[in-house]
Amino acid sequence: MAMNSPEDIDRLLKKLATDDAFRELMQSDPVKAMDSIGITVDPADVPDVRTLPSKESIAADQDAHREKLVGNSEMDVFKLSGLV
């Protein structure tokens, strides 16, 4: 499991909340998407089924999402859908 800095998480959440092309890449190739923002992901950590929270949800609750992700796997972003 990777340790995430708050800066890594902020960069990830900002991209997920604002960048449609990044969100599409995150759905289709999460390893490549994360690499594009300087975060290394083990392909074995990528879930087979992936659903991202809405851009609005991420933007509205960025602090709550950040708390859920710091120190956990970057791929936990796919588990945030039920947060809001």
Side-chain angles (χ1 to χ4, degrees), residues 27 30 43-51 78:
Q27 284 291 128
D45 290 339
V46 176
D48 291 333
V49 177
R50 300 182 287 270
T51 303
F78 293 111

Side-chain angles (χ1 to χ4, degrees), residues 16 22-24 26-27 50-54 58 77-78 81:
L16 289 171
F22 180 79
R23 289 176 61 85
E24 289 178 26
M26 189 69 169
Q27 284 291 128
R50 300 182 287 270
T51 303
L52 291 171
S54 70
I58 291 171
V77 71
F78 293 111
S81 296

Side-chain angles (χ1 to χ4, degrees), residues 1-37:
M1 173 172 35
M3 294 301 291
N4 308 304
S5 73
E7 295 80 15
D8 290 341
I9 299 306
D10 285 338
R11 194 167 52 253
L12 171 61
L13 293 173
K14 181 178 179 183
K15 293 291 276 185
L16 289 171
T18 62
D19 187 332
D20 289 327
F22 180 79
R23 289 176 61 85
E24 289 178 26
L25 184 58
M26 189 69 169
Q27 284 291 128
S28 64
D29 190 346
V31 174
K32 185 175 180 180
M34 299 297 264
D35 186 57
S36 77
I37 60 170

Side-chain angles (χ1 to χ4, degrees), residues 38-68:
I39 299 173
T40 302
V41 175
D42 182 346
D45 290 339
V46 176
D48 291 333
V49 177
R50 300 182 287 270
T51 303
L52 291 171
S54 70
K55 292 189 311 185
E56 296 78 14
S57 169
I58 291 171
D61 292 316
Q62 193 165 351
D63 290 336
H65 290 306
R66 184 182 308 104
E67 290 298 318
K68 292 282 187 183

